[in-house]
Amino acid sequence: EAGVAQSPRYKIIEKRQSVAFWCNPISGHATLYWYQQILGQGPKLLIQFQNNGVVDDSQLPKDRFSAERLKGVDSTLKIQPAKLEDSAVYLCASSRRVGAYEQYFGPGTRLTVT
Amino acid sequence: QQQVKQSPQSLIVQKGGIPIINCAYENTAFDYFPWYQQFPGKGPALLIAIRPDVSEKKEGRFTISFNKSAKQFSLHIMDSQPGDSATYFCAASIESSGSRLTFGEGTQLTVNP
């Protein structure tokens, strides 16, 4: 089966600009996750969707970050306006359902904010 | 209480050696403990996982040892190869909380030929 797809792979923006990332999960996977991985650290969950509903967004900085999952399939994560500390790799993952332990990760989008 | 602490930060071994990576947790509600392997430019990939009702699990050259009373678990890589050079992350999750993963800080493993 095809893996989790993400685009773009790399993005460089200036602070205070906006940026959007796209994720297409594995077909049939109901649960989708966005993680932020700062260089040298483990991934940190930003938001979790079950179909097109939010399960957990407790660690999402809602003043600048937003995410949606259209029709329970693809998802976009947006940052507006970006700060220097947002420089990181943004990983998308999916699993068959909430409570399914195995998560499959995409290759990530490396964001550099200058 | 949601933290997972991982050590060492980096590790260098010779081919054939047995690197050991350790993790400790505080939250006794965690009920699933996976290890992920990440190569540069790639997303993490599930390597092996264990539940707290088991003290050891082996899959090929990879073994997880789990000590529930000490709230610690570790990854052992038998007969390590240069191709095992990667960053390894331990993680923990709770099924009732939607299985969100809490990751350790990562260990960068280098296996020299």
Side-chain angles (χ1 to χ4, degrees):
Chain A
E1 60 185 357
V4 176
Q6 290 188 246
S7 69
R9 292 296 314 276
Y10 306 92
K11 190 73 177 179
I12 301 174
I13 62 172
E14 296 181 351
K15 60 183 179 183
R16 292 188 289 272
Q17 286 186 324
S18 62
V19 64
F21 313 125
W22 173 83
C23 173
N24 180 240
I26 293 173
S27 178
H29 280 196
T31 307
L32 185 146
Y33 310 79
W34 282 102
Y35 290 86
Q36 179 192 58
Q37 185 175 22
I38 294 173
L39 185 65
Q41 298 182 17
K44 183 186 79 171
L45 180 72
L46 292 174
I47 189 167
Q48 178 184 350
F49 291 95
Q50 169 73 3
N51 296 314
N52 60 355
V54 176
V55 174
D56 183 352
D57 64 356
S58 59
Q59 299 189 96
L60 185 73
K62 299 180 184 65
D63 58 333
R64 297 183 301 106
F65 286 65
S66 64
E68 61 180 2
R69 189 178 184 196
L70 304 174
K71 300 180 181 179
V73 181
D74 293 3
S75 177
T76 56
L77 176 69
K78 297 179 182 179
I79 307 175
Q80 182 179 6
K83 294 185 175 181
L84 295 177
E85 58 261 37
D86 298 332
S87 294
V89 175
Y90 291 85
L91 294 162
C92 179
S94 69
S95 64
R96 293 187 185 279
R97 54 175 176 81
V98 173
Y101 287 114
E102 186 159 355
Q103 296 183 22
Y104 298 84
F105 283 80
T109 297
R110 180 176 296 277
L111 173 67
T112 301
V113 182
T114 62
Chain B
Q1 206 180 20
Q2 290 292 327
Q3 284 187 322
V4 176
K5 296 184 178 180
Q6 183 172 346
S7 64
Q9 192 172 27
S10 63
L11 188 55
I12 300 174
V13 300
Q14 292 299 119
K15 178 182 174 182
I18 305 176
I20 301 172
I21 305 170
N22 300 297
C23 284
Y25 64 96
E26 288 296 322
N27 190 346
T28 56
F30 285 136
D31 56 9
Y32 177 70
F33 301 88
W35 285 89
Y36 280 80
Q37 180 188 54
Q38 186 175 30
F39 293 103
K42 305 289 186 181
L46 180 64
L47 197 59
I48 185 173
I50 197 168
R51 307 244 178 139
D53 54 346
V54 177
S55 61
E56 185 177 275
K57 183 175 181 180
K58 292 183 181 180
E59 286 187 4
R61 296 185 294 108
F62 301 93
T63 299
I64 298 179
S65 296
F66 188 85
N67 186 329
K68 188 174 182 178
S69 60
K71 293 185 285 186
Q72 295 175 348
F73 58 110
S74 60
L75 176 70
H76 301 232
I77 305 175
M78 306 301 176
D79 188 28
S80 59
Q81 302 297 312
D84 296 329
S85 297
T87 300
Y88 292 81
F89 293 96
C90 62
S93 68
I94 306 169
E95 183 177 13
S96 61
S97 297
S99 300
R100 59 179 268 183
L101 290 168
T102 299
F103 283 87
E105 294 294 295
T107 296
Q108 188 167 356
L109 173 66
T110 302
V111 182
N112 289 325

